[in-house]
Amino acid sequence: MPRRSGARTSSSAAPQRSAAPAAQAPPPAATPPPPAPAPAAAAPAPAPAVGGGGGMLSGLMGSMASGMATGVGMSMANRAVDAVMGPRQTEVVHRHEGAPAAAAAAPAAAAPAKCQFQQDQLTQCMQSSSDTSSCQSFLDSLKACQQTA
């Protein structure tokens, strides 16, 4: 960078004149400025695009990455809120618990006791006979017993 004749940038650039008498020795000769640094090599040109856009999968992968980043951000925010406010508690309430379920189970348990004889007859027929159509009457009587129970 060349020096300007009228402006000074720092105290080390040139000796300052003092108000001393003229009998002093003349100032030393000015040294030539150091050579300017060589200009940096020009940046190489960017490489041309090979794929031409990436296609459908690049958009899909970008969406997946965005979704994962959003999920991580939300989980971090939830943890921060839990740290400040305390952990959240959730309670599940089932509406149809208790008496109706117990009342429905009682007839189902009583039905096999009432129809045990028909069940035993059908089982014995199925084990002794290779023809299942001969046991149809026992099956019909078992179904009728279960419907009335």
Side-chain angles (χ1 to χ4, degrees):
M1 178 180 234
R3 292 187 188 179
R4 289 194 220 162
S5 61
R8 292 189 185 181
T9 57
S10 67
S11 62
S12 64
Q16 292 184 358
R17 295 184 189 161
S18 62
Q24 285 187 345
T31 59
V50 177
M56 182 180 75
L57 287 179
S58 66
L60 177 66
M61 294 308 252
S63 296
M64 285 178 58
S66 174
M68 284 191 259
T70 302
V72 169
M74 286 184 181
S75 67
M76 290 174 60
N78 284 335
R79 292 296 296 239
V81 168
D82 287 347
V84 173
M85 309 255 326
R88 298 178 201 129
Q89 296 177 353
T90 57
E91 182 178 335
V92 179
V93 178
H94 298 284
R95 294 181 182 242
H96 300 290
E97 281 186 0
K114 289 183 180 179
C115 302
Q116 187 65 40
F117 177 71
Q118 287 84 358
Q119 179 71 37
D120 290 341
Q121 283 183 332
L122 179 63
T123 305
Q124 185 180 7
C125 180
M126 296 291 282
Q127 289 174 349
S128 64
S129 175
S130 61
D131 185 20
T132 57
S133 62
S134 63
C135 300
Q136 186 65 37
S137 62
F138 295 115
L139 179 63
D140 292 338
S141 65
L142 177 62
K143 285 184 178 180
C145 178
Q146 288 174 343
Q147 288 177 354
T148 59

